[in-house]
Amino acid sequence: MKALIISLALVVNVHDGDTLTLDDGRTIRLAGIDAPEIGQPYGEQSRDELKRMIKRDVRIVPTTTDRYGRTVADIYVGNRCVNREMVHRGAAWWFRRYAPKDHCMRELEASARKHKRGLWRAPDVVAPWDWRKSK
């Protein structure tokens, strides 16, 4: 996929903590993170955290397209990277499988775990990729 920056995109729906829909119909998957599914513990809180952060207008920096045809992208509100902020707040995991060399994400997740932010408050946290396998 070509490096393409969409200055302002209008978000019309937030599906969960790592997926949203734009007014042009495109579904965007946040790069480098994996959030709890809606039926999973902390899933609704993760989605609500993403909703609070993005409001409606965002800047999209696509990185690739996934196997479902969704645009995988970094999302920005002003200068803030929403993907990283979701991990920092404990609303999503750093998705090591797809961003193994992202040292910033690793540090953000370690900090969220250490300080028990968001989903890390729970004693028995199950990663979304493990939760999906069990379903």
Side-chain angles (χ1 to χ4, degrees):
M1 171 177 257
K2 287 192 246 177
L4 172 69
I5 297 176
I6 301 171
S7 331
L8 281 178
L10 183 63
V11 175
V12 295
N13 189 29
V14 175
H15 302 275
D16 56 27
D18 58 29
T19 309
L20 50 87
T21 302
L22 303 178
D23 63 338
D24 64 7
R26 284 184 300 154
T27 300
I28 305 294
R29 174 77 165 72
L30 277 70
I33 73 170
D34 199 4
E37 301 296 331
I38 292 298
Q40 183 179 357
Y42 206 79
E44 290 181 15
Q45 293 93 327
S46 177
R47 177 197 58 209
D48 293 346
E49 191 66 36
L50 182 57
K51 281 182 179 180
R52 278 190 293 276
M53 270 193 280
I54 61 165
K55 305 298 180 209
R56 293 179 59 87
D57 294 328
V58 296
R59 186 167 39 105
I60 310 287
V61 181
T63 58
T64 190
T65 302
D66 71 9
R67 63 184 172 167
Y68 303 108
R70 300 177 296 191
T71 300
V72 179
D74 290 319
I75 309 294
Y76 291 86
V77 173
N79 291 326
R80 182 177 58 181
C81 179
V82 173
N83 309 44
R84 289 182 174 176
E85 190 66 25
M86 287 291 287
V87 173
H88 172 74
R89 293 181 183 193
W93 276 258
W94 161 43
F95 209 170
R96 292 163 184 78
R97 179 176 175 191
Y98 294 104
K101 296 179 182 178
D102 193 329
H103 302 293
C104 180
M105 284 285 203
R106 177 179 42 207
E107 291 172 14
L108 291 169
E109 183 180 284
S111 174
R113 285 177 184 241
K114 178 181 176 183
H115 298 288
K116 298 193 181 310
R117 288 191 293 266
L119 61 91
W120 301 111
R121 290 184 192 121
D124 299 318
V125 178
V126 177
W129 50 88
D130 292 331
W131 191 83
R132 286 188 293 266
K133 281 184 201 173
S134 73
K135 301 296 172 192

